[in-house]
Amino acid sequence: MTGITTGFGAWNPIAWLLLFLGVVAGALFLRRFGNKQYKKNTGQTKVFLSGNEEPEASALHVRGAHLYWGFVDGLSAYYRRVRALHTGLLSDYVALFVGTLGVVLIVLVLSR
Amino acid sequence: MNALLHHAPVLLVAVPLLGAFAVPLVGKLGSGLRRFFVGLIALLTTAIAGYLAASFYAAGASPIVYVLGGRLSLPSGMVAPIRIMFELDGLSVFMMLITALAALAAVLYTSSFWKERSGATLKDSLMLLLIVGIFGMEMTGDLFNFFVFLEITSIAACSLVGFRVWNGRSQEAAFKVMTLYTLSGLFVLLAVGLLYGQYGGLNIAYLATMIGSGAALVDKIALGLLLTGLAMKAGAVPMHMWAPDAYGEAPGAASILLVANSQASLYGLFRVLFTLYGSAYSPQSLAWILIGLAVLTIIVGVTMALVQRDLKRLIAFGAVSQIGYMMLAVGVGFAAMTALQPSDFGFVALQGGLFHMINDAACIGLLFLAAGIVIRRAGTRDLQGMGGIAHDLKWTTAFFMLGAFALAGMPPLNGFASKLMIYESTFRLSPVLAIVAILASILLLAVFLRAFQAAFLGPRTEPTDVMRPVPISMLVSMGLLALVVVAFGLFPGFFVDRIVTPAAQALWSGRDAYIQAVMSGMGG
Amino acid sequence: MTLGQVPFVVSALLVVIGLYALLFKRNLIKMVIGVSIIETGVNLFLVTVGYRAGGQAPIYTYSDPTTLRVLPTPQALTLTSIVIGLATTALLLSFVVFIHRHYQTLDAEKIKELKG
């Protein structure tokens, strides 16, 4: 009753959750074999940045506009065109609206 | 059938309508009383909706017809029914539940947000009016009334968008949205006029029987006008430009009602396609128009969300892309239904698309509400200037993350359940559609990870005392939506069987029942 | 083209004129006028649809019961639509007033803070 079938596959969140808990338990179990002999608050637990000092946390925070810079730059040809459509000019919005209406009407009138 | 149940459909419109116009009066007596009154109206409306839905499903989900007006007897002996009616089938009741959920969350959220601002009374009035309009659109069985309720939602929604008159951007957004809404309303009215001129009626069921004899050119033009006008109001690309402006500039609680409003327009579109025209005129090209718009909506919505720096515009573009999923699923369902040999995957597609509507309302609502708090806290809407919200606002962070994961389709949350149904049914029509949907979903997760990382993680930026602690009513409102997200995620089968399947059935095979419910009692 | 078709042509023309104003005018007030003209066109269409040659107004208290009467639905629709049109026009104009207050201009080309 909790799951759904899609005619092609099935999905049961309760079963998924049980499996997930099982995997988490397994991971925690494996973690128990870790080495506990390390020395706390020494160089052993510090971030290693090629021997450089670790900067302040505030200097490390990637701001919103910088994330995915590479992805957006790779698709810059697409983004240039799509962003150019969002002109902010009301007439353009109306033109797109009326244009879509025209296309829809033509397709409907031509189809059976 | 008892009196309350009998009159429930009209009460659902009458109670918030009376409430909307009583709010200014009650507001004179004090802001505490006003907030209590608005909350009471919202609770009452939700209770009526819940009661109506419960008895509707208990009675086997057969259409309910509520008639306003009666019979006109002329001296010449001619008797004509002069009346307008509400008609509720599985789809209407399902949409009504979505609206009730959104309305309750919005009113709860807003009750503390505006305590200190001027004009809170008017905002409460407008929100209740918007709720009236949405309920009316979803319940009416009359095409002209549909137009009237459409205009009520337009006016109320745009007034809410432009509510902050001290802010130029909101006025700009409100003007653009209002112009486009009015234009789409006029196209719908033109279509209504065309259909009236052709068949001399306005009742959806009556018109459906008349069109049943084959579609003329006038029918096609009316269909085109209705389809484009309603798709515009739902926010389908390339007519989505108003959506980020409206969602972005509206106050937090109004954004969720605007989402419900878009979904009501989508409901109108489905009603026109499946009930008004349905088997009478359903060329495959129509399904492909819908699918084409949907694919564009998904791709453009999600890619534009990726590059937004304004948090609310980012979520708004996410909301646009989700409208695409619903249109895609229902388009695939329409294609499968109207094919020479109807195939069962179409029904699964319809189920998935409709299930996604309620999931989307809950997830997007959660995101908008959380974003409202974040923006107040950070004092800016620019993601570039935010950071470290998670240090202070634990619950808001959790709710935002829940909403983002659910919307992006992470198991075991509700978005995954509905998207899985959409993927596995669209795949059967064309694998390309499923691939586009899945890739866009992954991209959507990336979009919200970016928003989450920028706004919530990182070091504190200029800690202030704004929104600390977050008012209880806001947390309760978000908690309500979060509960829906988790419950629908963990027990999808339960909800799909009870509320989604009757709605999908109404689209798949409910046209005759919808027509019969009205036409069998034509004399009275 | 018969005389009866003229109103249909005029209403179509009004819609086209209104769309022209929306598409090619850059003054916000003129755009609102465009919306209003489209509204008039649609209303004229509704009234025309309701016209029946030889029909009488359906006020039947003192009239001859045997004459043909027009069903008043389209007229009712038009009245409703005019009222709604008044509300939308007023709202649009009030937004224009506030836009002018904030941007100091009515040129649509300059009111583009929300884009991209």
Side-chain angles (χ1 to χ4, degrees):
Chain A
M1 186 179 76
T2 65
I4 46 176
T5 52
T6 60
F8 191 79
W11 161 241
N12 191 327
I14 302 296
W16 185 90
L17 215 57
L18 288 176
L19 185 72
F20 180 75
L21 289 179
V23 171
V24 169
L28 287 177
F29 177 73
L30 288 178
R31 192 172 182 271
R32 284 183 62 233
F33 297 107
N35 189 352
K36 296 188 189 65
Q37 303 302 311
Y38 66 90
K39 296 180 183 103
K40 293 198 174 76
N41 297 325
T42 64
Q44 283 187 340
T45 63
K46 265 196 175 167
V47 178
F48 181 71
L49 286 177
S50 306
N52 298 319
E53 278 298 307
E54 185 191 347
E56 279 290 305
S58 56
L60 284 176
H61 183 56
V62 180
R63 296 279 183 176
H66 304 315
L67 210 62
Y68 304 141
W69 176 86
F71 182 86
V72 174
D73 194 57
L75 289 177
S76 59
Y78 164 82
Y79 273 113
R80 242 198 336 274
R81 291 196 179 92
V82 175
R83 295 193 86 155
L85 275 180
H86 298 72
T87 46
L89 186 61
L90 183 57
S91 300
D92 292 350
Y93 298 177
V94 174
L96 279 167
F97 184 25
V98 176
T100 313
L101 174 69
V103 171
V104 168
L105 281 181
I106 288 169
V107 171
L108 281 181
V109 169
L110 288 185
S111 57
R112 177 196 58 81
Chain B
M1 196 188 271
N2 62 48
L4 175 61
L5 180 59
H6 178 67
H7 292 294
V10 77
L11 282 179
L12 210 49
V13 169
V15 168
L17 188 63
L18 285 176
F21 290 110
V23 164
L25 284 177
V26 180
K28 295 277 177 211
L29 302 176
S31 82
L33 195 66
R34 189 203 76 235
R35 274 180 278 143
F36 175 77
F37 178 74
V38 175
L40 192 72
I41 293 287
L43 270 179
L44 200 59
T45 313
T46 316
I48 295 170
Y51 179 59
L52 181 59
S55 40
F56 173 80
Y57 292 125
S62 51
I64 300 174
V65 177
Y66 182 86
V67 179
L68 297 149
R71 194 195 312 233
L72 170 73
S73 308
L74 295 178
S76 61
M78 182 197 168
V79 178
I82 299 287
R83 57 188 185 174
I84 48 179
M85 54 179 63
F86 287 149
E87 179 164 12
L88 285 86
D89 65 352
L91 184 62
S92 313
V93 173
F94 177 71
M95 294 306 299
M96 191 184 81
L97 287 175
I98 297 178
T99 311
L101 176 73
L104 192 61
V107 169
L108 265 177
Y109 182 84
T110 194
S111 63
S112 53
F113 204 5
W114 287 77
K115 200 168 8 186
E116 74 282 19
R117 294 275 179 85
S118 59
T121 315
L122 294 175
K123 181 251 342 175
D124 283 345
S125 272
L126 289 171
M127 274 175 57
L128 287 176
L129 270 182
L130 183 52
I131 293 166
V132 170
I134 299 173
F135 273 134
M137 277 170 79
E138 288 161 359
M139 292 194 302
T140 184
D142 182 286
L143 218 47
F144 186 73
N145 270 28
F146 183 81
F147 163 75
V148 172
F149 284 119
L150 188 80
E151 289 292 331
I152 292 178
T153 60
S154 297
I155 293 171
C158 295
S159 312
L160 277 173
V161 172
F163 190 77
R164 294 165 163 159
V165 289
W166 54 86
N167 178 349
R169 287 163 60 100
S170 76
Q171 300 309 303
E172 181 190 340
F175 178 78
K176 289 177 181 170
V177 179
M178 190 71 212
T179 309
L180 288 172
Y181 272 10
T182 308
L183 204 55
S184 93
L186 287 172
F187 283 176
V188 169
L189 182 62
L190 199 56
V192 172
L194 284 170
L195 288 175
Y196 182 85
Q198 185 81 346
Y199 301 116
L202 290 167
N203 190 291
I204 293 176
Y206 170 74
L207 285 174
T209 56
M210 296 308 288
I211 298 170
S213 50
L217 183 64
V218 176
D219 298 325
K220 291 181 182 177
I221 293 173
L223 177 61
L225 287 166
L226 284 169
L227 183 120
T228 324
L230 291 171
M232 205 281 323
K233 246 199 123 193
V237 175
M239 306 170 283
H240 67 292
M241 311 296 189
W242 62 271
D245 298 359
Y247 295 160
E249 296 303 324
S255 298
I256 176 171
L257 285 179
L258 290 176
V259 172
N261 185 16
S262 291
Q263 294 196 349
S265 302
L266 211 53
Y267 158 83
L269 181 60
F270 299 163
R271 180 62 79 207
V272 166
L273 287 181
F274 284 83
T275 306
L276 187 59
Y277 285 81
S279 45
Y281 180 65
S282 52
Q284 285 285 297
S285 57
L286 194 54
W288 285 100
I289 289 175
L290 210 58
I291 294 172
L293 286 177
V295 169
L296 264 181
T297 310
I298 293 175
I299 296 174
V300 173
V302 78
T303 47
M304 283 305 288
L306 196 74
V307 293
Q308 294 303 314
R309 275 178 54 171
D310 182 322
L311 178 59
K312 284 196 85 170
R313 276 180 85 83
L314 182 142
I315 302 175
F317 272 109
V320 168
S321 76
Q322 296 312 296
I323 294 285
Y325 279 89
M326 299 159 205
M327 286 176 63
L328 173 66
V330 173
V332 167
F334 193 71
M337 190 180 96
T338 57
L340 287 178
Q341 273 129 6
S343 9
D344 285 340
F345 70 81
F347 187 67
V348 177
L350 288 180
Q351 279 181 317
L354 295 172
F355 190 32
H356 197 63
M357 289 177 102
I358 196 162
N359 292 341
D360 170 69
C363 303
I364 282 283
L366 202 54
L367 288 170
F368 271 128
L369 297 188
I373 295 177
V374 168
I375 289 164
R376 289 284 299 263
R377 169 89 185 141
T380 172
R381 294 163 38 155
D382 190 356
L383 282 173
Q384 191 74 357
M386 289 186 187
I389 305 280
H391 289 287
D392 304 318
L393 307 178
K394 301 270 188 297
W395 281 104
T396 310
T397 310
F399 287 140
F400 189 92
M401 194 151 76
L402 190 72
F405 279 171
L407 197 65
M410 291 277 278
L413 298 168
N414 60 358
F416 178 75
S418 51
K419 281 189 175 174
L420 185 76
M421 293 168 100
I422 295 175
Y423 300 152
E424 294 200 338
S425 49
T426 50
F427 179 77
R428 306 272 287 276
L429 185 69
S430 162
V432 178
L433 299 176
I435 291 168
V436 167
I438 292 173
L439 286 181
S441 210
I442 296 168
L443 212 52
L444 193 71
L445 184 64
V447 166
F448 285 115
L449 276 182
R450 167 166 166 263
F452 186 79
Q453 186 266 353
F456 290 93
L457 303 184
R460 280 193 182 86
T461 46
E462 302 165 28
T464 54
D465 280 340
V466 183
M467 299 307 277
R468 194 173 175 212
V470 177
I472 288 293
S473 69
M474 290 188 177
L475 289 180
V476 171
S477 155
M478 289 193 291
L480 174 77
L481 292 175
L483 189 71
V484 170
V485 169
V486 173
F488 279 38
L490 288 184
F491 306 103
F494 181 84
F495 293 103
V496 166
D497 286 349
R498 271 162 194 70
I499 62 174
V500 178
T501 306
Q505 211 95 52
L507 290 181
W508 185 252
S509 57
R511 184 170 188 252
D512 293 337
Y514 189 91
I515 294 172
Q516 270 307 310
V518 172
M519 299 311 283
S520 63
M522 201 61 189
Chain C
M1 191 169 77
T2 62
L3 200 61
Q5 287 167 328
V6 171
F8 288 108
V9 176
V10 171
S11 63
L13 268 178
L14 284 175
V15 171
V16 170
I17 292 170
L19 280 178
Y20 170 80
L22 271 177
L23 288 173
F24 298 109
K25 293 291 169 192
R26 290 292 177 266
N27 187 308
L28 292 191
I29 302 272
K30 287 182 183 167
M31 295 174 97
V32 176
I33 292 174
V35 171
S36 213
I37 291 175
I38 299 178
E39 233 161 54
T40 316
V42 176
N43 286 340
L44 181 63
F45 175 74
L46 281 179
V47 173
T48 314
V49 157
Y51 178 75
R52 289 290 174 271
Q56 267 200 353
I59 308 165
Y60 62 87
T61 318
Y62 297 112
S63 72
D64 179 12
T66 53
T67 48
L68 278 176
R69 290 196 192 84
V70 183
L71 193 65
T73 318
Q75 282 78 359
L77 303 191
T78 314
L79 273 182
T80 318
S81 143
I82 288 172
V83 172
I84 292 173
L86 178 73
T88 50
T89 310
L91 194 60
L92 279 171
L93 287 175
S94 69
F95 288 141
V96 172
V97 169
F98 277 111
I99 287 176
H100 187 263
R101 199 168 289 176
H102 288 286
Y103 291 79
Q104 309 298 333
T105 176
L106 285 179
D107 188 354
E109 292 279 3
K110 287 173 187 142
I111 305 165
K112 296 202 292 191
E113 260 190 50
L114 297 164
K115 62 177 178 183

